Amino acid sequence: MTLFHYGGVHSTGLRRLPAVIAAGVVAIAAVLIAPLVAPGPAVADTPWLTVSDDGYLSISIPAASVEATVGQVSEVAVEGNFGPSSAWAEYGLTRRGDVWWGALGPLKPGLYSYQVTGDITKGLKDPTNVTRVASHPLWSTFIVPGDSARLLADAPQGRGGEVGTLTYQVGKQKRSALVWTPPGYSAKGRTPYPVLYLRSGDGQSATDWLDLGRARQILDNLSARGSIEPMVVVITDGPDGDKELKDLRKAVADGYRVQHDREHQAIAGVAEGGTRALRAALTKPVDFAYAGSFSGLQADLQAELLPGGGRPDAKAINRDLRLLRLYTGNVTDPAYNATVRLTKALDRAGVRYEFDGVGPDAGANWTAWQGNLIDFLPRLFRTVKDHGPSAGHGRLKGEFHPPAPGTTPTPFLSEGGFVTFETTTGFPDAKHVTVWANDAPGGSWLRVPMSRDGDRWRVTVGPLDPWFYYYQWIVDGVSAKDTSNPAKVTSEPNWSHFLIPGERSRLLSDVPAGRGGKVESLTYPSTVANQDRTALVWTPPGYDPGRAEPYPVLYLQHGSGQSYTDWVEMGRAKQILDHEFLDGKLVPMVVVMGNGNVPDFTKELLDNIVPAARARYNVSGDPSRQALAGLSMGGVQTLGVLKAYPGRFAYVAAFSAWFGSGDGVDAEAVNRGTKMLRLYVGDQTDFVQPFFLSSLPVLDGLGIRYEYDGVTPGPHGWDVWQKNLIDLAPRLFKR
């Protein structure tokens, strides 16, 4: 799926633009884009992925390298733990010249794993990244630095421990474990060390604790800080049974200088490994004094942890087990409901335990488990005063159950910003289904894989911040609409949308019925398109067509591949204008959203849209009472009008656009006739940003006065343009 980013959200394939518009817009872009985004083939050691200090990921993958490895492809994606709650997600790239390009961020500090994929199934390793994940040969990793990721970085040279391999016998089978020994460890010293047994889950490897869990760095850094007791840590992807665990412990006792008594033994694990660790501690409390379960999938205390249905010996457990600490991620963690049931069972049985609280920003993944290990290690083999949850962790609120399959409309919104997407039964033979939405950092677009649930596909994502979201299914590479969602987008029928309510999204929500303005259709004959065209017009509450003083008017334009409906259906223009009017921030005005898909927009605007609006509505023709603004292509058109007819609109604004050449521009006339020229652009993920920034020196050189308040966080999409309109509208028509 080739992604084309020009006039709004990404779409599958090139947008269906009228040929003349596409030619005109692309011609403008070609002058600016060619030297910036169509470099020659990258040399072998040029990184495919780079990360800025502020967490923006830049991606530039030579097409020739991809084709040499997996053959000809029509789509390239980078997939990794970029999604909400560090979920695995796919980020589609755009083909630009000889490279596949993309930008994502800002990413939170932490460890990220990824691989490159062509046409959904053709995976390849990034050859420019030397990191390895032993259990996933195609994966690479990188770290986004920051305070919360400091323990994941390599410790200062000479201050870390050592990792070795222990081989041991279980019956006739040879097994192996990884063993971390602390700085200064010697096999011949006097004082033996306590030992922690750290287990992986099913389908994982012991090496995952090093490659993805960063256990070595966490241990090294905590040790260097003096935050943990010196200990030996044994990392294993087994054993499964009591005998195997006994054999492992014997091998450790024979091979390392460790203590043997219960007070100096600890066990912990992730997922199924957490369940086994908990079972070992509860069934034989004489063996371990410390136990931790990280996203343990314990379904029932009696059935799962105590085979045979026996009741736990609470008296013995409470006497012998100094610490039993439970961890879970948020409701996207399969262990969440299991932890709810487990805590209730432990309470009924009278078993003492500690609960670290619900990790708010991660599910069942290594991002969560890194934090669990960081919390757990300093509690071992010492007395601690703090027995409560980690900072920012919440309480369990009962089991999480989305509505039954087939419930409509979709998606299902749950407390805390969690969203459950569900398809209809219309994809029985599908192999790979994702939900493609603006749920990445800043509002970029990720494809989150869905799982088959009976005859449907489902996934829960979150937490998402309060905002306006839009999405579609990608079914085996083909886009499809969620037909159970009644929301529609006229210009791009496969999109659906929803709003997560909250103070952050208040201006994007509907105002109470009867209190907002009206949106009407205005049909007018176009001498440019030689047909009737339509615009949408917002009039403010209390609009009076007979008012003596005509209303000021804003002409607001869409982008390429969009139409006159997009500012209402995707831009939430009505909601924004309604709220800002009711909040007393808006000068009463009329807003006309015309159709800019014509070969000569300036003529269409001045000869057709403006006269039609003045004929139908009580709006001013005084330049000081007229404003013109647009996004992307509409912004380029807006600036074109400014250059050709300075002074026709006293207020001018462009969102994610650029000024272009200054040749023939009458700067004095622009300054004389323009009360406000305000410019907006997205962050590094907005591909227009370099073109925008390169046009500022042109404006400065011409001496044109303008306002620029810095980048708007977000990509070349509605998350940015909604914020731009929110900022712009209250600035219009004020003295």
Side-chain angles (χ1 to χ4, degrees), residues 405-426:
T407 303
T408 58
T410 56
F412 316 125
L413 307 186
S414 303
E415 181 182 359
F418 293 93
V419 183
T420 300
F421 297 94
E422 179 187 271
T423 71
T424 64
T425 59

Side-chain angles (χ1 to χ4, degrees), residues 560-687:
S560 172
Q562 301 169 355
S563 193
Y564 66 95
T565 55
D566 279 85
W567 263 113
V568 170
E569 294 175 349
M570 295 288 274
R572 307 292 279 183
K574 181 185 188 307
Q575 288 80 3
I576 291 169
L577 295 165
D578 285 350
H579 275 288
E580 292 191 325
F581 180 89
L582 295 177
D583 290 346
K585 296 180 178 180
L586 207 66
V587 171
M589 69 179 79
V590 172
V591 180
V592 179
M593 294 159 275
N595 189 335
N597 293 318
V598 287
D600 187 342
F601 172 74
T602 300
K603 181 175 176 61
E604 177 78 347
L605 175 70
L606 300 181
D607 292 357
N608 299 318
I609 297 176
V610 169
R614 292 184 62 189
R616 170 86 173 268
Y617 294 93
N618 184 16
V619 297
S620 177
D622 183 344
S624 69
R625 304 277 283 171
Q626 294 188 99
L628 177 62
L631 68 88
S632 193
M633 179 191 77
V636 174
Q637 293 170 333
T638 294
L639 295 174
V641 173
L642 173 68
K643 290 191 281 187
Y645 293 91
R648 290 292 293 265
F649 300 88
Y651 298 85
V652 178
F655 310 160
S656 297
W658 59 90
F659 190 77
S661 171
D663 294 345
V665 175
D666 187 342
E668 182 179 347
V670 170
N671 287 336
R672 185 174 59 248
T674 308
K675 292 186 176 183
M676 181 182 74
L677 170 58
R678 192 163 177 86
L679 307 176
Y680 301 84
V681 74
D683 60 25
Q684 292 95 311
T685 63
D686 183 347
F687 77 93

Side-chain angles (χ1 to χ4, degrees), residues 476-518:
D476 294 332
V478 179
S479 63
K481 178 171 171 38
D482 178 5
T483 55
S484 296
N485 184 332
K488 70 171 186 175
V489 179
T490 302
S491 65
E492 297 189 86
N494 284 336
W495 289 108
S496 300
H497 54 74
F498 62 93
L499 181 82
I500 294 183
E503 183 57 33
R504 182 174 182 265
S505 62
R506 183 181 71 87
L507 296 181
L508 305 181
S509 66
D510 293 332
V511 301
R515 298 197 62 196
K518 294 182 179 179

Side-chain angles (χ1 to χ4, degrees), residues 193-250:
Y193 289 83
V195 59
L196 163 64
Y197 294 89
L198 194 57
R199 309 172 111 176
S200 301
D202 291 352
Q204 298 170 347
S205 170
T207 56
D208 287 342
W209 264 115
L210 302 182
D211 298 336
L212 301 172
R214 302 293 280 183
R216 178 173 188 164
Q217 287 79 7
I218 292 170
L219 288 160
D220 286 350
N221 283 303
L222 290 176
S223 178
R225 294 182 180 189
S227 300
I228 60 174
E229 294 296 311
M231 68 181 81
V232 170
V233 179
V234 181
I235 305 172
T236 175
D237 51 11
D240 295 330
D242 292 341
K243 183 180 186 309
E244 291 183 59
L245 180 57
K246 182 178 179 181
D247 291 338
L248 173 62
R249 295 181 66 194
K250 181 179 184 305

Side-chain angles (χ1 to χ4, degrees), residues 26-74:
V26 173
I28 296 172
V31 175
L32 297 169
I33 294 176
L36 293 175
V37 298
V43 296
D45 59 350
T46 300
W48 287 5
L49 276 68
T50 58
V51 184
S52 65
D53 291 339
D54 49 358
Y56 284 91
L57 179 66
S58 297
I59 307 166
S60 183
I61 302 176
S65 297
V66 175
E67 292 168 8
T69 305
V70 299
Q72 192 74 28
V73 295
S74 59

Side-chain angles (χ1 to χ4, degrees), residues 252-315:
V252 171
D254 292 341
Y256 291 87
R257 183 160 53 91
V258 296
Q259 293 178 318
H260 302 159
D261 62 305
R262 173 182 54 80
E263 286 294 316
H264 295 91
Q265 307 286 311
I267 189 168
V270 302
E272 296 85 2
T275 302
R276 295 179 188 116
L278 195 57
R279 182 192 294 116
L282 292 177
T283 56
K284 289 193 174 182
V286 295
D287 288 344
F288 298 97
Y290 302 85
S293 175
F294 309 163
S295 297
L297 297 171
Q298 48 275 350
D300 176 80
L301 184 66
Q302 278 76 30
E304 178 69 15
L305 298 178
L306 297 176
R311 184 175 180 82
D313 187 345
K315 183 176 180 180

